Structures are given as structure tokens and as C-alpha cells.
Amino acid sequence: MLGRLNHVAIAVPDLAAAAEVYAGTLGAEVSAPQLLPEHGVTVVFVTLPNTKIELLEPLGEDSPIARFLEKTPAGGMHHLCYEVEDIGAARDRLLAVGARVLGDGEPKIGAHGKPVLFLHPKDFSGTLIELEQV
Ligand code: CO
């Protein structure tokens, strides 16, 4: 079911500072910030030869990233995103084996304009998982 690792997401308290660490200190290619109000985040993508790093900063009152940063104020790894070919089939398979899909179970459009779903960390070794249809 799983394809490539699409990205690793890191929640950060200061997106500009984190982007500068990747662009300056680490010499990576960093995108312009993208505001995603429906996900409660502002995001920057760091492009690596084999995957991407997604830097996430809270956006708006009700951001899930704000709650994460209350527990880890310096920032930290937030989720892994795996590619799937058919997100509806992936969801149905996961629900059938008792895995928890977050939200209403309907894919939302993610940062790359493609359908995404999130899976409960308690079912996946303590790691929040994002599935993205490619
Ligand atoms: Co993501």
C-alpha cells in the first residue's frame, strides 16, 4: 500500500528562523512560505534529492501545531507523509483492520493540492502519519 516517503514534517515556533537554518546553515533549497488556513499552518518546503522536509508554523487560533508546540516549545518532528496510489482504498483497508483515521475520514486537499488523510499516532508507534494520494 505504501509508496515513497513524501516528506517529514517538523513543527517550529518561528518559521522564518527555521527556514533560514535550512537555507543558510544547511545550504538547502527552501520554498516561499505557503499559508494553509484550512489546516491551521503556514508551511515551507525544503527540497532534498530523495524527499522533502515540511516546516510547519501555527496559523490562526485553533492550530493543531500550536497544541503540539505547547508540549515541545523548541519544535520537533510532527508527522511522516507516505504516498499512496488510491487514498480511498487505503482508508478503507485501514478502517477494516481497526486503525483510526483522524477527522471525518474524508480526504482533505493538502499542501501540494492533493488529497491527504491523517492516521492516529497511537496506532503507528507513536507517530502521526499523513497519507497523500499521488
Ligand atoms: Co505533511
Side-chain angles (χ1 to χ4, degrees):
M1 182 177 97
L2 289 189
R4 285 161 23 101
L5 174 67
N6 185 277
H7 60 266
V8 176
I10 300 173
V12 301
D14 181 339
L15 190 60
E20 178 49 31
V21 166
Y22 273 87
T25 310
L26 296 173
E29 181 189 329
V30 177
S31 77
Q34 204 180 329
L35 278 64
L36 300 175
E38 69 279 21
H39 293 278
V41 298
T42 304
V43 59
V44 153
F45 282 101
V46 180
T47 303
L48 304 178
N50 61 340
T51 191
K52 293 184 286 287
I53 306 297
E54 183 179 87
L55 303 174
L56 301 171
E57 183 185 63
L59 174 65
E61 302 269 296
D62 213 21
S63 174
I65 305 301
R67 292 197 293 277
F68 182 90
L69 287 172
E70 279 168 24
K71 286 176 256 169
T72 53
M77 203 201 81
H78 185 262
H79 65 267
L80 299 176
C81 177
Y82 299 121
E83 297 179 354
V84 295
E85 281 187 10
D86 181 336
I87 202 162
R91 174 200 52 207
D92 293 347
R93 174 190 165 128
L94 288 161
L95 291 174
V97 296
R100 285 165 284 184
V101 176
L102 300 186
D104 62 7
E106 289 308 313
K108 284 190 188 176
I109 298 303
H112 311 109
K114 293 175 179 162
V116 301
L117 280 175
F118 285 90
L119 310 178
H120 201 294
K122 286 190 175 150
D123 296 330
F124 298 96
S125 310
T127 306
L128 179 63
I129 302 289
E130 179 179 19
L131 299 179
E132 181 175 296
Q133 180 169 291
V134 292

